[in-house]
Amino acid sequence: MSLVDQLAAVVGAEHATADVPAAYLSDATESRAMRGDASALVRPGSAEEVAAVVACCYERGAAMVPRGGGSGFAGGAVPLDGAVVVSLERLDRIRSLEPGLWRMEAEAGVTTATVRRRARESGLLYPVDPGAAEQSHIGGNVACNAGGPHAFKYGVTGAWVTGLEAVLAPGELVRSGGAVRKDVAGYDWARLLIGSEGTLGMVTAVHLRLVPAPETARPVAAVYADAESGCAVIAGVLAAGIEPATLEYLDGATLAAAGASFPAALTEAAGFMVIAEADGSVAEAARVADELREVLSVGALAVHEPEGRGEIEALWRWRSGVSIAVTALHGGKASEDIAVPVEHLGEAIRATLEIGARHGLETCSWGHAGDGNLHSTFMLDASDPAALERAEAAASELFDMALRLGGTVSGEHGVGLVKRAALAKQLAPAELRIAHAIKDAFDPKGLFNPSKKLP
Ligand SMILES: Cc1cc2nc3c(=O)[nH]c(=O)nc-3n(C[C@H](O)[C@H](O)[C@H](O)COP(=O)(O)OP(=O)(O)OC[C@H]3O[C@@H](n4cnc5c(N)ncnc54)[C@H](O)[C@@H]3O)c2cc1C
């Protein structure tokens, strides 16, 4: 029996095919012309079916690529060398939502936006908000340990996971944590799956903790003539002991690409923008917004404070669309996500532009300033091999710069396919040894997303 026939016997013929649609061969790295090839696509409909699929592939020695929403920026979900794409999209149930207990159990294929919306409908907050929330899945967020603007105050995905259900080799469905709020018995293997990018096993469901939703949110957006003035203000917010929910930045080139749709008038002299948001009770948010306005006004050309839900949502919708607007400029981009200690943010922003210019690439950056996390981006025509090559060389210099400043090659997107060589520079020999030992312990045959994550 062929592998596809065997998989079809598990999930039903309509959910297993050797004729893999193009949509399952790429992720957001398509903007830099990345595309893989797969021998089969399988779409299990339950955790038990995922276990049976893994058992089948493990027995036959077939490599598997778990796939969430395909919004990843590291090529993690791109299948290589004829691997089997295991799409978790049919695991899309919220298994439980207990508002009185502030918790939810969601299957891996529930979109991030659905998790946030369902929490909000119950007066609760799931604060993690990576930019492609309508497309990305909670399983994919766990696999990448995704962040986003509100990670500054609330932390990244892993901070909200209290338990996992996952399929480990050679096809065993296991559970860790869940409703229990504390558990220090045994090694915390589930923590290792968070951020493992599908290389250690497949997440089938996630237990999330939630918190009561803040009564209100008050964003303050300010524009400056240049990055120096903007970065001084970011340092000022931290030094003043103000804790905004977000502390975002966009540089001048990003504003040039995406500013036309900014939901307020934007002066042509705008060379940098900072977006900080206060949240909490009405009184608390007003107090923090007042403090933010005072600090952000120093050296600002203009300050925009959206009012009411519609205006606030318009601001964040615009912010989520920045990546797409930048891609649209030349039809493609290579976007990295280095992070540096926040005091080096200004230097990293400046160095990003210098590196791009050296390689003849139009360059911009924006990102999560409070976390020192830059989306350093080289804009290009994805059908131009020479530009892609120049972007590769530029990215390599970018990673060196991040490491020189005491940072990391990936703040939130993960390593996937595109940053393996860079990670090799970041990890010490002992760390590399441990990483490979962990991989071997979880995946002795090396079949979970091979050629990803590990140098
Ligand atoms: C416009 C845009 C904005 C973005 N903004 C942000 C942002 O602000 N912050 C941020 O962190 N990211 C951001 N991203 C990147 C992306 O959305 C995140 O990395 C997200 O977590 C990927 O989730 P996904 O479901 O799309 O995963 P995929 O792209 O499908 O997969 C990503 C990786 O996870 C693995 N994987 C997926 N599901 C599972 C599973 N169930 N079990 C095991 N492994 C699995 C895959 O094998 C792959 O290695 C953005 C992307 C876009 C396109």
Side-chain angles (χ1 to χ4, degrees), residues 1-35:
M1 198 192 260
S2 76
L3 175 61
V4 174
D5 287 343
Q6 207 178 340
L7 295 174
V10 172
V11 301
E14 67 277 36
H15 298 302
T17 177
D19 189 12
V20 184
Y24 291 90
L25 299 178
S26 61
D27 62 8
T29 54
E30 195 160 30
S31 67
R32 59 205 285 180
M34 288 211 171
R35 180 162 284 274

Side-chain angles (χ1 to χ4, degrees), residues 431-449:
E431 291 176 292
L432 261 177
R433 208 170 49 244
I434 290 169
H436 282 282
I438 290 170
K439 171 73 174 169
D440 287 345
F442 274 83
D443 182 16
K445 289 191 182 177
L447 299 176
F448 283 116
N449 217 357

Side-chain angles (χ1 to χ4, degrees), residues 82-421:
V84 175
V85 176
V86 182
S87 171
L88 283 304
E89 71 199 278
R90 291 177 63 224
L91 273 72
D92 61 355
R93 282 185 320 123
I94 304 262
R95 288 185 184 165
S96 66
L97 171 57
E98 297 165 284
L101 296 167
W102 306 359
R103 67 189 188 211
M104 179 192 291
E105 185 188 4
E107 290 185 340
V110 176
T111 66
T112 317
T114 303
V115 168
R116 286 171 54 80
R117 195 160 45 239
R118 290 293 302 277
R120 176 57 76 159
E121 283 164 6
S122 299
L124 296 168
L125 177 71
Y126 173 70
V128 191
D129 59 344
E134 295 287 351
Q135 185 186 347
S136 67
H137 294 176
I138 194 68
N141 291 164
V142 169
C144 296
N145 204 2
H150 287 79
F152 178 62
K153 176 172 175 180
Y154 292 102
V156 295
T157 304
W160 298 85
V161 174
T162 63
L164 283 186
E165 178 191 85
V167 175
L168 304 182
E172 199 178 327
L173 188 60
V174 289
R175 295 182 180 86
S176 169
V180 63
R181 283 180 73 98
K182 294 169 89 178
D183 178 6
V184 295
Y187 288 127
D188 197 352
W189 63 264
R191 235 355 81 183
L192 284 174
L193 251 68
I194 299 170
S196 67
E197 301 179 50
T199 59
L200 302 182
M202 292 199 198
V203 175
T204 51
V206 185
H207 289 269
L208 298 168
R209 75 185 172 89
L210 309 168
V211 285
E215 219 176 328
T216 191
R218 301 264 309 262
V220 182
V223 290
Y224 307 87
D226 50 43
E228 283 68 37
S229 321
C231 288
V233 157
I234 289 161
V237 169
L238 299 178
I242 308 170
E243 195 190 23
T246 73
L247 193 51
E248 298 280 291
Y249 86 92
L250 302 98
D251 78 356
T254 306
L255 293 176
S261 54
F262 184 68
L266 201 58
T267 160
E268 271 188 25
F272 200 83
M273 181 183 283
V274 175
I275 307 176
E277 183 177 85
D279 70 356
S281 66
V282 170
E284 171 72 359
R287 181 186 65 75
V288 177
D290 285 348
E291 292 175 0
L292 286 173
R293 189 183 317 108
E294 193 178 326
V295 178
L296 264 61
S297 296
V298 177
L301 300 173
V303 177
H304 168 58
E305 285 191 69
E307 280 177 13
R309 204 163 149 193
E311 283 187 25
I312 292 170
E313 281 177 2
L315 175 71
W316 286 116
R317 220 175 13 254
W318 172 78
R319 169 62 188 83
S320 290
V322 162
S323 174
I324 293 164
V326 169
T327 309
L329 211 62
H330 294 293
K333 65 173 163 57
S335 201
E336 306 299 351
D337 67 318
I338 56 169
V340 296
V342 67
E343 66 274 23
H344 296 309
L345 179 70
E347 193 178 343
I349 292 170
R350 205 168 39 249
T352 293
L353 292 174
E354 285 165 9
I355 291 168
R358 248 198 322 278
H359 291 273
L361 293 160
E362 225 176 296
T363 303
C364 66
S365 78
W366 70 93
H368 315 304
D371 290 327
N373 190 187
L374 296 82
H375 295 318
S376 301
T377 300
F378 306 113
M379 295 174 254
L380 45 80
D381 172 355
S383 66
D384 177 356
L388 288 165
E389 217 167 280
R390 290 204 305 280
E392 284 295 316
S396 173
E397 278 186 37
L398 190 76
F399 298 138
D400 290 346
M401 178 268 287
L403 296 178
R404 186 171 44 77
L405 294 177
T408 172
V409 299
S410 178
E412 58 179 16
H413 292 161
V415 170
L417 187 55
V418 299
K419 275 168 261 178
R420 292 171 66 207

